[in-house]
Amino acid sequence: MNQLLKLITYITNAFTMRISEIRREFSIISFLFTLVASNCAAQNKDSLAASGYHPKAAAFVFPAAFIGYGLVSLAGKNPVRSLDLTTENELQEDHPLFAAHADNYLQFAPAAVVFGLHLAGVKTRHRIGDAVGIYLMSIAIMTGSVTAMKHITKRERPDHSVFNSFPSGHTATVFASAEFLKQEYGEQYPWLEYAGYAVATTTGALRMYNNRHWLSDVVAGAGFGILSTKLSYILYPQVRKLINGRHSFAFNLMPSYRDGKAGFYLCGNF
């Protein structure tokens, strides 16, 4: 009996040490997900059903126009492409030594605000589990479409570093995040919508000031980002029904700090 207990203790300690080693191999910010099953979740109100998204066709006019503007710039010499060249020349002439890398972090700021406000107790339009799913889907749609366009167009960046300029991925990411912030909090707090799009516009401008993208890359990136999030709000409820049926589920997101690493604890009821 004692040997059995020693063996169990040894296995437990070895497993714990291995988990600690794995954690150290990941980035400083880690997400710890624990899903707790229960039978009471079916009684919860479905957040998607309570706040369905049914946009009119007009909601897609601006993102489609932004993408169209960028596509025109690829059609050879035309006013849109000429504006690309003159804008790049003026920025480099006025700010030849400009170098700021805030755009690498600002692209995620609007989405971080959504999850930060939830942690602070400010209720989102959807439950946090659905919000996470919608955001991940929007990023997946955006990444797929932007990556495909980069490979198809093979446009050279203004700094001549590589041929994957169109469209701007940073701009697409931040505008997808800004639209996500708008959908979750814009109706309740309109100023957050404006703030999110202000951050997105600033990020796009920094991509040009850093000589990493043409103006049309940025405009098209904004279109891809906004469109991706709008599509995710339409598609996510259907995808969730296909995967999970019509059963409701809820999540709680809590901060976590362990072994010197900060992260989040996601607890779900199915």
Side-chain angles (χ1 to χ4, degrees), residues 130-151:
D130 289 326
V132 170
I134 290 169
Y135 180 64
L136 291 179
M137 178 174 284
S138 72
I139 293 300
I141 295 172
M142 180 276 298
T143 301
S145 58
V146 167
T147 301
M149 289 302 298
K150 284 180 178 291
H151 283 289

Side-chain angles (χ1 to χ4, degrees), residues 3-16:
Q3 291 185 354
L4 178 61
L5 290 175
K6 289 180 179 180
L7 178 61
I8 294 174
T9 302
Y10 174 79
I11 295 173
T12 303
N13 291 337
F15 180 76
T16 302

Side-chain angles (χ1 to χ4, degrees), residues 62-166:
F62 281 109
F66 290 163
I67 295 172
Y69 177 93
L71 292 175
V72 169
S73 72
L74 300 172
K77 294 182 178 180
N78 55 60
V80 175
R81 185 55 181 159
S82 296
L83 184 58
D84 278 348
L85 298 173
T86 56
T87 301
E88 192 266 345
N89 288 334
E90 290 179 4
L91 289 176
Q92 291 307 302
E93 181 179 346
D94 296 338
H95 310 280
L97 301 178
F98 185 88
H101 303 292
D103 45 347
N104 291 330
Y105 308 100
L106 287 176
Q107 60 180 319
F108 304 109
V113 169
V114 173
F115 300 121
L117 288 175
H118 176 80
L119 289 174
V122 182
K123 191 175 181 180
T124 56
R125 176 181 175 184
H126 296 96
R127 287 203 179 98
I128 194 62
D130 289 326
V132 170
I134 290 169
Y135 180 64
L136 291 179
M137 178 174 284
S138 72
I139 293 300
I141 295 172
M142 180 276 298
T143 301
S145 58
V146 167
T147 301
M149 289 302 298
K150 284 180 178 291
H151 283 289
I152 292 171
T153 59
K154 292 182 171 62
R155 169 184 274 182
E156 186 179 17
R157 290 182 184 266
D159 63 359
H160 309 293
S161 61
V162 69
F163 289 83
N164 64 354
S165 187
F166 182 89

